[in-house]
Protein backbone atom coordinates (compact mmCIF):
# COMPACT_ATOMS: atom_id res chain seq x y z
CA UNK A 1 0.00 0.00 0.00
CA UNK A 2 1.27 3.48 -0.88
CA UNK A 3 2.24 5.90 1.87
CA UNK A 4 -0.57 8.00 3.41
CA UNK A 5 0.55 11.15 1.55
CA UNK A 6 1.02 9.46 -1.83
CA UNK A 7 -0.23 11.74 -4.60
CA UNK A 8 0.61 14.99 -2.82
CA UNK A 9 3.36 17.22 -4.17
CA UNK A 10 5.59 19.42 -2.03
CA UNK A 11 7.62 22.35 -3.35
CA UNK A 12 10.45 22.74 -0.83
CA UNK A 13 12.22 26.11 -0.92
CA UNK A 14 13.84 25.62 2.48
CA UNK A 15 17.39 24.85 3.50
CA UNK A 16 19.48 24.02 6.61
CA UNK A 17 17.28 21.93 8.93
CA UNK A 18 13.78 22.89 10.13
CA UNK A 19 12.23 23.08 6.65
CA UNK A 20 14.20 20.14 5.23
CA UNK A 21 13.25 18.03 8.28
CA UNK A 22 9.59 18.78 7.59
CA UNK A 23 9.98 17.97 3.88
CA UNK A 24 11.83 14.72 4.61
CA UNK A 25 9.05 13.62 6.95
CA UNK A 26 6.45 14.35 4.27
CA UNK A 27 8.54 12.41 1.75
CA UNK A 28 8.74 9.44 4.13
CA UNK A 29 4.94 9.54 4.32
CA UNK A 30 4.66 9.23 0.55
CA UNK A 31 4.62 12.80 -0.78
CA UNK A 32 6.69 13.76 -3.82
CA UNK A 33 9.13 16.48 -2.72
CA UNK A 34 10.80 18.90 -5.13
CA UNK A 35 13.74 20.49 -3.33
CA UNK A 36 14.68 23.83 -4.90
CA UNK A 37 18.38 24.62 -4.46
CA UNK A 38 20.79 27.36 -5.44
CA UNK A 39 22.77 26.57 -8.63
CA UNK A 40 26.44 25.92 -7.98
CA UNK A 41 26.24 25.43 -4.23
CA UNK A 42 22.84 24.03 -3.28
CA UNK A 43 21.62 23.73 0.30
CA UNK A 44 24.15 25.29 2.70
CA UNK A 45 24.45 22.05 4.66
CA UNK A 46 25.93 20.16 1.68
CA UNK A 47 29.23 21.76 2.70
CA UNK A 48 28.79 21.33 6.45
CA UNK A 49 31.52 18.74 6.89
CA UNK A 50 33.54 16.72 7.47
CA UNK A 51 32.34 14.10 7.87
CA UNK A 52 31.23 13.40 4.30
CA UNK A 53 29.70 10.32 2.73
CA UNK A 54 32.51 8.04 1.60
CA UNK A 55 32.90 5.78 -1.42
CA UNK A 56 34.73 2.48 -1.47
CA UNK A 57 38.38 3.13 -0.80
CA UNK A 58 37.62 5.89 1.67
CA UNK A 59 37.22 8.68 -0.91
CA UNK A 60 34.97 11.51 0.24
CA UNK A 61 31.97 12.41 -1.90
CA UNK A 62 30.70 15.99 -1.90
CA UNK A 63 27.77 15.10 0.38
CA UNK A 64 28.05 15.99 4.05
CA UNK A 65 26.65 13.71 6.72
CA UNK A 66 24.60 16.67 7.92
CA UNK A 67 22.86 17.05 4.55
CA UNK A 68 22.19 13.31 4.36
CA UNK A 69 20.39 13.41 7.71
CA UNK A 70 17.51 15.59 6.46
CA UNK A 71 17.10 15.12 2.71
CA UNK A 72 16.32 11.53 1.73
CA UNK A 73 13.56 10.86 -0.77
CA UNK A 74 13.69 14.31 -2.39
CA UNK A 75 14.19 15.47 -5.97
CA UNK A 76 16.88 18.17 -6.24
CA UNK A 77 16.08 20.97 -8.70
CA UNK A 78 18.61 23.78 -8.97
CA UNK A 79 17.02 27.06 -10.06
CA UNK A 80 18.19 30.65 -9.62
CA UNK A 81 15.06 32.23 -8.19
CA UNK A 82 16.65 35.69 -8.29
CA UNK A 83 16.19 35.70 -12.07
CA UNK A 84 12.85 36.29 -13.79
CA UNK A 85 13.06 33.00 -15.67
CA UNK A 86 14.07 31.10 -12.56
CA UNK A 87 11.26 32.47 -10.41
CA UNK A 88 8.82 31.76 -13.27
CA UNK A 89 9.91 28.10 -13.22
CA UNK A 90 9.24 27.88 -9.49
CA UNK A 91 5.84 29.56 -9.85
CA UNK A 92 4.95 27.04 -12.54
CA UNK A 93 5.98 24.20 -10.23
CA UNK A 94 3.90 25.75 -7.44
CA UNK A 95 0.84 25.51 -9.68
CA UNK A 96 1.42 21.75 -9.81
CA UNK A 97 2.06 21.41 -6.05
CA UNK A 98 -0.15 21.04 -2.99
CA UNK A 99 2.23 22.58 -0.49
CA UNK A 100 5.07 25.12 -0.50
CA UNK A 101 7.68 25.23 2.28
CA UNK A 102 10.06 28.17 2.67
CA UNK A 103 12.35 29.50 5.38
CA UNK A 104 13.64 32.74 3.90
CA UNK A 105 13.70 35.99 5.85
CA UNK A 106 10.36 37.76 6.18
CA UNK A 107 9.59 39.55 2.90
CA UNK A 108 12.30 37.87 0.81
CA UNK A 109 9.94 35.67 -1.17
CA UNK A 110 7.86 38.69 -2.22
CA UNK A 111 10.94 40.04 -4.02
CA UNK A 112 10.79 37.01 -6.32
CA UNK A 113 7.02 36.80 -6.67
CA UNK A 114 7.05 33.59 -4.64
CA UNK A 115 5.29 34.75 -1.47
CA UNK A 116 1.95 33.34 -0.36
CA UNK A 117 -0.15 36.13 -1.84
CA UNK A 118 1.57 35.80 -5.24
CA UNK A 119 1.26 32.03 -5.37
CA UNK A 120 -2.34 32.10 -4.14
CA UNK A 121 -3.21 34.07 -7.25
CA UNK A 122 -1.99 31.26 -9.51
CA UNK A 123 -2.94 28.38 -7.17
CA UNK A 124 -5.86 29.50 -4.94
CA UNK A 125 -5.87 26.38 -2.77
CA UNK A 126 -2.11 26.29 -2.15
CA UNK A 127 -0.93 25.54 1.38
CA UNK A 128 2.11 27.64 2.16
CA UNK A 129 4.30 27.04 5.23
CA UNK A 130 6.79 29.75 6.23
CA UNK A 131 9.43 28.90 8.84
CA UNK A 132 11.45 31.69 10.43
CA UNK A 133 13.27 32.32 13.67
CA UNK A 134 10.75 34.71 15.17
CA UNK A 135 7.65 34.61 12.95
CA UNK A 136 6.08 36.79 10.28
CA UNK A 137 4.97 39.46 12.79
CA UNK A 138 6.33 41.21 15.87
CA UNK A 139 9.34 43.39 16.74
CA UNK A 140 11.88 40.64 15.93
CA UNK A 141 10.36 39.38 12.68
CA UNK A 142 13.35 40.61 10.64
CA UNK A 143 15.99 39.05 12.92
CA UNK A 144 17.69 35.88 11.67
CA UNK A 145 17.18 32.95 14.01
CA UNK A 146 19.50 29.97 14.41
CA UNK A 147 18.82 27.02 16.67
CA UNK A 148 21.35 27.79 19.41
CA UNK A 149 20.26 31.44 19.60
CA UNK A 150 16.66 30.29 19.96
CA UNK A 151 17.63 27.81 22.70
CA UNK A 152 19.17 30.78 24.50
CA UNK A 153 16.48 33.42 24.06
CA UNK A 154 13.64 30.92 24.46
CA UNK A 155 14.71 29.69 27.91
CA UNK A 156 15.95 26.19 27.15
CA UNK A 157 19.57 26.92 28.07
CA UNK A 158 18.46 28.43 31.38
CA UNK A 159 17.22 24.99 32.48
CA UNK A 160 19.85 22.85 30.71
CA UNK A 161 23.24 22.16 32.25
CA UNK A 162 24.64 21.67 35.71
CA UNK A 163 23.67 24.17 38.39
CA UNK A 164 25.94 27.17 38.77
CA UNK A 165 27.22 26.11 42.20
CA UNK A 166 28.69 22.82 40.90
CA UNK A 167 31.83 22.10 38.85
CA UNK A 168 31.11 22.64 35.18
CA UNK A 169 27.96 24.51 36.03
CA UNK A 170 26.38 26.92 33.59
CA UNK A 171 24.03 27.03 30.63
CA UNK A 172 24.26 24.31 27.99
CA UNK A 173 22.63 23.77 24.64
CA UNK A 174 21.06 20.43 23.74
CA UNK A 175 23.40 18.11 21.81
CA UNK A 176 21.35 18.27 18.59
CA UNK A 177 19.56 21.27 17.00
CA UNK A 178 16.41 20.33 18.83
CA UNK A 179 14.42 23.49 18.08
CA UNK A 180 14.88 23.06 14.33
CA UNK A 181 13.82 19.42 14.56
CA UNK A 182 10.78 20.12 16.72
CA UNK A 183 9.77 23.01 14.46
CA UNK A 184 9.86 20.62 11.52
CA UNK A 185 7.66 18.18 13.41
CA UNK A 186 5.16 20.82 14.59
CA UNK A 187 5.09 22.11 11.01
CA UNK A 188 4.22 18.61 9.78
CA UNK A 189 1.19 18.57 12.07
CA UNK A 190 0.27 22.01 10.75
CA UNK A 191 0.51 21.22 7.06
CA UNK A 192 -1.24 17.86 7.33
CA UNK A 193 -4.05 19.56 9.28
CA UNK A 194 -4.23 22.21 6.55
CA UNK A 195 -4.49 19.48 3.92
CA UNK A 196 -7.40 17.94 5.83
CA UNK A 197 -9.05 21.36 6.08
CA UNK A 198 -8.63 21.83 2.33
CA UNK A 199 -10.21 18.43 1.68
CA UNK A 200 -13.31 19.61 3.57
CA UNK A 201 -13.50 23.21 2.38
CA UNK A 202 -11.34 23.62 -0.73
CA UNK A 203 -9.41 26.39 1.03
CA UNK A 204 -5.64 26.72 1.19
CA UNK A 205 -3.88 28.82 3.80
CA UNK A 206 -0.62 30.32 5.02
CA UNK A 207 1.04 28.67 8.04
CA UNK A 208 3.38 30.93 10.04
CA UNK A 209 5.88 28.83 12.02
CA UNK A 210 8.46 30.43 14.33
CA UNK A 211 11.33 28.62 16.03
CA UNK A 212 10.88 30.83 19.10
CA UNK A 213 7.19 29.90 19.40
CA UNK A 214 8.07 26.22 19.23
CA UNK A 215 10.86 26.61 21.78
CA UNK A 216 8.52 28.30 24.23
CA UNK A 217 5.79 25.70 23.63
CA UNK A 218 7.96 22.65 24.29
CA UNK A 219 9.22 23.70 27.72
CA UNK A 220 6.14 21.82 28.92
CA UNK A 221 6.24 21.19 32.69
CA UNK A 222 8.97 23.80 33.17
CA UNK A 223 6.65 26.45 31.72
CA UNK A 224 3.99 25.53 34.23
CA UNK A 225 6.51 25.31 37.06
CA UNK A 226 7.09 29.00 36.37
CA UNK A 227 3.54 30.08 35.52
CA UNK A 228 2.06 28.51 38.66
CA UNK A 229 4.70 29.90 41.03
CA UNK A 230 6.21 32.97 39.41
CA UNK A 231 9.68 31.58 40.11
CA UNK A 232 11.88 30.80 37.09
CA UNK A 233 13.11 27.16 37.16
CA UNK A 234 16.82 26.61 37.71
CA UNK A 235 19.25 24.15 36.19
CA UNK A 236 19.37 20.73 37.84
CA UNK A 237 21.91 19.09 35.56
CA UNK A 238 20.75 15.50 35.04
CA UNK A 239 18.23 15.68 37.87
CA UNK A 240 14.50 16.38 37.52
CA UNK A 241 12.75 19.45 38.94
CA UNK A 242 9.57 17.55 39.87
CA UNK A 243 10.55 13.92 40.53
CA UNK A 244 13.12 12.32 42.89
CA UNK A 245 15.12 10.14 42.33
CA UNK A 246 15.19 10.81 38.58
CA UNK A 247 18.75 11.44 37.42
CA UNK A 248 22.16 9.97 36.57
CA UNK A 249 23.99 7.98 39.23
CA UNK A 250 27.60 6.84 39.16
CA UNK A 251 28.43 3.15 39.44
CA UNK A 252 31.70 1.29 39.99
CA UNK A 253 32.34 1.20 36.22
CA UNK A 254 30.43 4.18 34.84
CA UNK A 255 26.98 5.69 35.19
CA UNK A 256 23.32 4.90 34.58
CA UNK A 257 19.97 6.65 34.56
CA UNK A 258 17.46 5.93 37.32
CA UNK A 259 13.99 7.28 36.53
CA UNK A 260 11.67 6.59 39.46
CA UNK A 261 8.32 8.03 38.45
CA UNK A 262 6.05 7.21 41.39
CA UNK A 263 6.01 6.01 44.99
CA UNK A 264 5.39 2.37 44.09
CA UNK A 265 8.46 2.37 41.86
CA UNK A 266 10.46 3.90 44.70
CA UNK A 267 9.43 1.07 47.03
CA UNK A 268 10.41 -1.50 44.37
CA UNK A 269 13.73 0.27 43.88
CA UNK A 270 14.50 0.21 47.59
CA UNK A 271 13.59 -3.47 47.95
CA UNK A 272 15.65 -4.54 44.92
CA UNK A 273 18.76 -2.58 45.86
CA UNK A 274 18.90 -3.46 49.56
CA UNK A 275 17.68 -0.07 50.74
CA UNK A 276 14.31 -1.13 52.17
CA UNK A 277 14.66 1.19 55.14
CA UNK A 278 14.49 4.24 52.89
CA UNK A 279 11.03 3.25 51.64
CA UNK A 280 9.54 3.72 55.12
CA UNK A 281 11.69 6.67 56.17
CA UNK A 282 9.26 9.56 56.75
CA UNK A 283 11.56 11.87 54.79
CA UNK A 284 11.20 9.81 51.60
CA UNK A 285 7.82 8.03 51.59
CA UNK A 286 6.13 10.20 48.93
CA UNK A 287 7.52 12.08 45.97
CA UNK A 288 6.63 15.33 47.73
CA UNK A 289 8.72 14.17 50.68
CA UNK A 290 11.60 13.20 48.42
CA UNK A 291 11.52 16.54 46.61
CA UNK A 292 11.60 18.38 49.92
CA UNK A 293 14.48 16.23 51.19
CA UNK A 294 16.35 15.74 47.91
CA UNK A 295 19.65 16.88 49.45
CA UNK A 296 19.41 14.18 52.13
CA UNK A 297 18.30 11.31 49.88
CA UNK A 298 20.66 11.69 46.93
CA UNK A 299 23.93 11.35 48.93
CA UNK A 300 22.59 8.10 50.44
CA UNK A 301 21.84 6.72 46.97
CA UNK A 302 25.17 7.94 45.60
CA UNK A 303 27.11 6.10 48.30
CA UNK A 304 25.21 2.86 47.73
CA UNK A 305 24.93 2.72 43.93
CA UNK A 306 28.61 3.38 43.30
CA UNK A 307 29.46 0.06 44.93
CA UNK A 308 28.22 -2.07 42.00
CA UNK A 309 28.49 -2.01 38.21
CA UNK A 310 26.00 -0.44 35.86
CA UNK A 311 24.96 -3.84 34.51
CA UNK A 312 24.39 -5.13 38.04
CA UNK A 313 21.85 -2.41 38.79
CA UNK A 314 20.17 -2.67 35.38
CA UNK A 315 19.86 -6.45 35.76
CA UNK A 316 18.02 -6.23 39.08
CA UNK A 317 15.92 -3.11 38.42
CA UNK A 318 14.56 -3.81 34.93
CA UNK A 319 12.87 -7.11 35.90
CA UNK A 320 10.91 -5.48 38.73
CA UNK A 321 9.70 -2.59 36.58
CA UNK A 322 11.91 0.22 37.84
CA UNK A 323 12.78 2.48 34.85
CA UNK A 324 16.53 2.66 34.30
CA UNK A 325 19.00 2.61 31.44
CA UNK A 326 22.70 2.58 30.62
CA UNK A 327 24.12 5.70 28.98
CA UNK A 328 25.07 4.45 25.54
CA UNK A 329 27.39 5.91 22.92
CA UNK A 330 25.98 5.91 19.38
CA UNK A 331 28.00 2.83 18.43
CA UNK A 332 26.25 1.04 21.29
CA UNK A 333 22.87 2.46 20.25
CA UNK A 334 23.03 1.10 16.71
CA UNK A 335 24.32 -2.26 17.99
CA UNK A 336 21.52 -2.54 20.56
CA UNK A 337 19.21 -5.53 19.95
CA UNK A 338 16.06 -3.41 20.35
CA UNK A 339 17.25 -0.77 17.90
CA UNK A 340 18.22 -3.50 15.42
CA UNK A 341 14.86 -5.23 15.85
CA UNK A 342 13.04 -1.95 15.20
CA UNK A 343 15.10 -1.49 11.99
CA UNK A 344 16.16 2.04 12.87
CA UNK A 345 19.07 2.05 10.42
CA UNK A 346 18.39 1.89 6.71
CA UNK A 347 20.86 1.89 3.82
CA UNK A 348 19.90 3.50 0.52
CA UNK A 349 21.73 3.67 -2.81
CA UNK A 350 23.28 7.08 -3.44
CA UNK A 351 23.70 8.44 -6.95
CA UNK A 352 27.42 8.96 -6.33
CA UNK A 353 27.72 5.19 -6.65
CA UNK A 354 27.94 4.32 -2.98
CA UNK A 355 25.44 3.51 -0.22
CA UNK A 356 24.18 6.10 2.25
CA UNK A 357 23.65 4.86 5.83
CA UNK A 358 20.54 6.60 7.15
CA UNK A 359 18.21 6.57 10.14
CA UNK A 360 14.69 5.25 9.61
CA UNK A 361 11.50 7.14 10.24
CA UNK A 362 10.21 5.99 13.67
CA UNK A 363 6.53 5.86 12.63
CA UNK A 364 5.27 2.28 12.32
CA UNK A 365 2.01 1.96 10.35
CA UNK A 366 0.03 -1.28 10.25
CA UNK A 367 -1.09 -0.63 6.68
CA UNK A 368 0.58 2.29 4.91
CA UNK A 369 4.14 1.13 5.46
CA UNK A 370 6.90 3.67 4.97
CA UNK A 371 9.11 2.78 2.01
CA UNK A 372 12.37 4.48 1.13
CA UNK A 373 12.56 4.71 -2.65
CA UNK A 374 15.24 7.37 -3.06
CA UNK A 375 18.39 8.37 -1.20
CA UNK A 376 19.36 11.98 -0.53
CA UNK A 377 19.92 13.60 -3.95
CA UNK A 378 23.06 15.10 -5.34
CA UNK A 379 22.75 18.77 -6.20
CA UNK A 380 20.58 19.29 -9.27
CA UNK A 381 20.35 15.64 -10.22
CA UNK A 382 16.60 15.86 -10.89
CA UNK A 383 16.42 19.30 -12.51
CA UNK A 384 16.16 18.15 -16.12
CA UNK A 385 13.76 15.30 -15.40
CA UNK A 386 11.31 17.47 -13.41
CA UNK A 387 11.37 20.26 -16.00
CA UNK A 388 10.63 17.71 -18.73
CA UNK A 389 8.04 15.59 -16.94
CA UNK A 390 6.18 18.27 -14.99
CA UNK A 391 6.61 21.49 -16.98
CA UNK A 392 7.10 19.89 -20.43
CA UNK A 393 10.35 21.69 -21.25
CA UNK A 394 12.23 20.20 -24.18
CA UNK A 395 15.92 19.30 -24.12
CA UNK A 396 16.96 22.39 -26.06
CA UNK A 397 15.24 24.74 -23.61
CA UNK A 398 16.80 22.94 -20.65
CA UNK A 399 20.25 23.12 -22.21
CA UNK A 400 19.83 26.84 -22.90
CA UNK A 401 18.78 27.54 -19.30
CA UNK A 402 21.73 25.49 -18.05
CA UNK A 403 24.24 27.34 -20.22
CA UNK A 404 22.92 30.67 -18.96
CA UNK A 405 23.12 29.36 -15.37
CA UNK A 406 19.42 29.87 -14.68
CA UNK A 407 19.34 26.21 -13.71
CA UNK A 408 21.90 23.61 -12.69
CA UNK A 409 21.36 20.12 -14.12
CA UNK A 410 24.02 18.54 -11.93
CA UNK A 411 27.56 17.59 -12.73
CA UNK A 412 29.57 14.39 -12.29
CA UNK A 413 31.13 14.23 -8.88
CA UNK A 414 34.82 14.93 -8.53
CA UNK A 415 36.88 12.31 -6.71
Amino acid sequence: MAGPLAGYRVLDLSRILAGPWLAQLLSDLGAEVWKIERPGTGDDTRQWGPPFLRKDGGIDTTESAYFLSANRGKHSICVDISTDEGSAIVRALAQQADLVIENYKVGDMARYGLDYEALKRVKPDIIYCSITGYGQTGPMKDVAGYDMAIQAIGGLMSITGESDDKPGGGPQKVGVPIVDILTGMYSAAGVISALLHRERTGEGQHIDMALLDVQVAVLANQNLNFLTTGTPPKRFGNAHPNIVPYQVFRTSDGSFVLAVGNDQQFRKFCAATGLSGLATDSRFVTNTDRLKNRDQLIPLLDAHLIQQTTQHWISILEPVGVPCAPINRLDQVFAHPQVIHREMQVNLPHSSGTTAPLVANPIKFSGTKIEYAKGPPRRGEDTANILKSILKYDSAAIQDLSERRIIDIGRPEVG
Side-chain angles (χ1 to χ4, degrees):
M1 186 178 294
L5 295 185
Y8 289 99
R9 289 170 167 174
V10 177
L11 181 63
D12 179 16
L13 287 155
S14 67
R15 65 271 193 229
I16 314 297
L17 190 56
W21 197 265
L22 162 62
Q24 178 173 262
L25 176 53
L26 299 175
S27 174
D28 287 347
L29 297 176
E32 182 175 351
V33 177
W34 303 329
K35 182 178 178 68
I36 305 300
E37 300 190 69
R38 184 187 304 113
T41 57
D43 189 312
D44 296 4
T45 62
R46 287 184 181 274
Q47 290 78 47
W48 283 13
F52 293 95
L53 180 64
R54 312 199 90 184
K55 291 183 178 180
D56 292 341
I59 300 172
D60 281 351
T61 69
T62 58
E63 303 296 351
S64 74
Y66 198 113
F67 177 83
L68 296 176
S69 74
N71 288 285
R72 67 166 167 265
K74 303 177 187 179
H75 301 270
S76 173
I77 307 165
C78 285
V79 180
D80 185 353
I81 66 171
S82 68
T83 65
D84 291 341
E85 288 170 286
S87 61
I89 288 172
V90 176
R91 275 192 298 277
L93 288 172
Q95 289 180 271
Q96 305 296 320
D98 298 283
L99 166 67
V100 174
I101 303 168
E102 63 90 9
N103 62 351
Y104 283 70
K105 292 180 182 178
V106 173
D108 272 8
M109 301 312 290
R111 295 164 49 199
Y112 311 122
L114 298 173
D115 57 307
Y116 173 63
E117 294 300 326
L119 295 187
K120 187 171 70 169
R121 288 193 288 270
V122 299
K123 175 76 170 176
D125 65 348
I126 195 71
I127 293 166
Y128 190 104
C129 182
S130 295
I131 300 174
T132 55
Y134 299 96
Q136 300 291 306
T137 61
M140 293 187 70
K141 66 182 178 64
D142 296 319
V143 177
Y146 277 72
D147 184 278
M148 187 173 178
I150 301 297
Q151 288 192 41
I153 196 172
L156 181 57
M157 291 179 68
S158 77
I159 57 172
T160 305
E162 194 54 81
S163 58
D164 290 337
D165 60 347
K166 293 186 177 180
Q172 293 284 321
K173 70 177 181 65
V174 177
V176 294
I178 192 67
V179 189
D180 277 331
I181 292 168
L182 289 172
T183 300
M185 296 175 71
Y186 264 98
S187 298
V191 301
I192 292 171
S193 298
L195 287 171
L196 291 172
H197 174 78
R198 190 178 72 177
E199 294 293 325
R200 293 195 298 266
T201 67
E203 298 172 349
Q205 60 184 302
H206 186 196
I207 302 169
D208 173 9
M209 296 297 303
L211 271 68
L212 180 61
D213 294 353
V214 171
Q215 171 62 95
V216 173
V218 301
L219 293 185
N221 60 301
Q222 294 281 35
N223 279 334
L224 271 295
N225 288 345
F226 165 66
L227 292 174
T228 57
T229 67
T231 302
K234 63 180 182 178
R235 288 185 294 277
F236 280 93
N238 287 315
H240 197 288
N242 301 108
I243 309 171
V244 176
Y246 194 109
Q247 64 182 74
V248 171
F249 286 96
R250 292 188 62 190
T251 65
S252 63
D253 64 348
S255 302
F256 80 113
V257 164
L258 176 65
V260 173
N262 57 51
D263 297 336
Q264 181 182 22
Q265 288 177 359
F266 183 67
R267 290 191 292 271
K268 289 181 177 180
F269 162 76
C270 292
T273 56
L275 294 171
S276 298
L278 296 183
T280 56
D281 189 313
S282 61
R283 297 172 297 173
F284 312 133
V285 172
T286 69
N287 184 65
T288 300
D289 297 327
R290 294 190 295 275
L291 272 172
K292 180 181 178 181
N293 298 296
R294 179 199 299 263
D295 291 342
Q296 298 173 55
L297 174 61
I298 297 305
L300 297 175
L301 300 186
D302 282 335
H304 186 72
L305 295 173
I306 201 169
Q307 297 178 36
Q308 297 288 347
T309 66
T310 295
Q311 183 54 40
H312 172 81
W313 296 124
I314 299 292
S315 68
I316 66 172
L317 293 174
E318 271 190 355
V320 297
V322 176
C324 58
I327 301 171
N328 287 337
R329 301 183 309 270
L330 285 185
D331 58 331
Q332 297 169 311
V333 170
F334 284 99
H336 195 285
Q338 185 67 17
V339 175
I340 293 171
H341 175 82
R342 299 292 287 180
E343 299 179 328
M344 284 307 298
Q345 181 178 340
V346 295
N347 298 299
L348 295 180
H350 189 265
S351 56
S352 64
T354 189
T355 298
L358 302 170
V359 180
N361 189 299
I363 300 171
K364 306 289 195 274
F365 291 106
S366 64
T368 50
K369 184 178 179 180
I370 290 175
E371 296 182 354
Y372 307 101
K374 191 176 189 299
R378 283 192 295 170
R379 190 190 75 241
E381 72 176 27
D382 303 293
T383 305
N385 181 54
I386 295 297
L387 293 188
K388 285 180 180 179
S389 63
I390 303 298
L391 300 184
K392 309 306 179 186
Y393 278 56
D394 61 29
S395 297
I398 292 171
Q399 186 63 34
D400 175 63
L401 289 167
S402 177
E403 290 174 355
R404 291 189 291 123
R405 299 184 179 180
I406 304 297
I407 64 172
D408 182 346
I409 58 175
R411 295 290 183 270
E413 201 170 88
V414 176

